Amino acid sequence: MRSFDFAPLYRATVGFDQMADLMDRVLANDVQSQTYPPYNIEKTAEDAYRISIAVAGFADQDLNVEVKEKALVVSARKAEEDEERSYLHRGIATRAFERRFHLADHVKVGGASHENGMLHIDLEREIPEALKPRRIEIANGTKAIEKDVVDAKAVN
């Protein structure tokens, strides 16, 4: 894989350092790409998403979901099993893991549920009112002129 040098981007722009850092993290993670546990990311509505992670063999108390520093961190650690079991074949991996998902601005975690060996995490983008588009009314030209005339009369 090619490595990219983002130094020219830092020298030529202001305020895009978060984007360059994100690209650095993504490219660094590609080298050591994790495949366990498998997961899906789906768009459930215009501003809603769901991450589904296959966590067969883990109980609710073994799983941990938290948000810190604009990242969703999902981790699991299996409690110690009793040594009395003797497996002929052990194909269900219950090894510890930690999976990070970097969240965009204004994306909030709505909740998590665990059913049928799947951990579902619902995400929602909540755009603040100040950033939503709003319609500006166009004033009639005569009203603006009349207001100026009235203000001028009040001053004299």
Side-chain angles (χ1 to χ4, degrees), residues 140-156:
N140 188 335
T142 58
K143 287 183 182 176
I145 293 171
E146 288 175 12
K147 183 176 184 284
D148 288 342
V149 171
V150 171
D151 288 343
K153 288 180 183 176
V155 173
N156 291 332

Side-chain angles (χ1 to χ4, degrees), residues 25-122:
R25 282 194 305 264
V26 169
L27 292 173
N29 285 344
D30 263 357
V31 174
Q32 52 181 316
S33 66
Q34 297 177 334
T35 59
Y36 177 78
Y39 65 93
N40 293 334
I41 300 176
E42 62 183 298
K43 188 171 186 172
T44 57
E46 183 64 30
D47 287 323
Y49 306 89
R50 173 176 263 194
I51 298 173
S52 299
I53 304 173
V55 291
F58 289 98
D60 291 346
Q61 61 269 19
D62 300 331
L63 299 168
N64 185 33
V65 179
E66 60 182 351
V67 177
K68 58 182 175 183
E69 299 172 7
K70 294 177 76 172
L72 171 67
V73 180
V74 180
S75 59
R77 185 162 313 281
K78 186 74 172 157
E80 294 295 323
E81 293 186 19
D82 54 357
E83 299 294 326
E84 295 178 12
R85 290 187 177 182
S86 175
Y87 292 97
L88 298 178
H89 171 74
R90 188 165 184 179
I92 300 173
T94 56
R95 62 183 180 266
F97 70 87
E98 180 177 284
R99 172 87 57 185
R100 290 179 173 270
F101 300 92
H102 296 283
L103 301 176
D105 292 338
H106 314 298
V107 173
K108 309 285 184 230
V109 177
S113 63
H114 181 216
E115 58 182 305
N116 299 327
M118 297 292 288
L119 175 64
H120 300 289
I121 303 167
D122 294 315

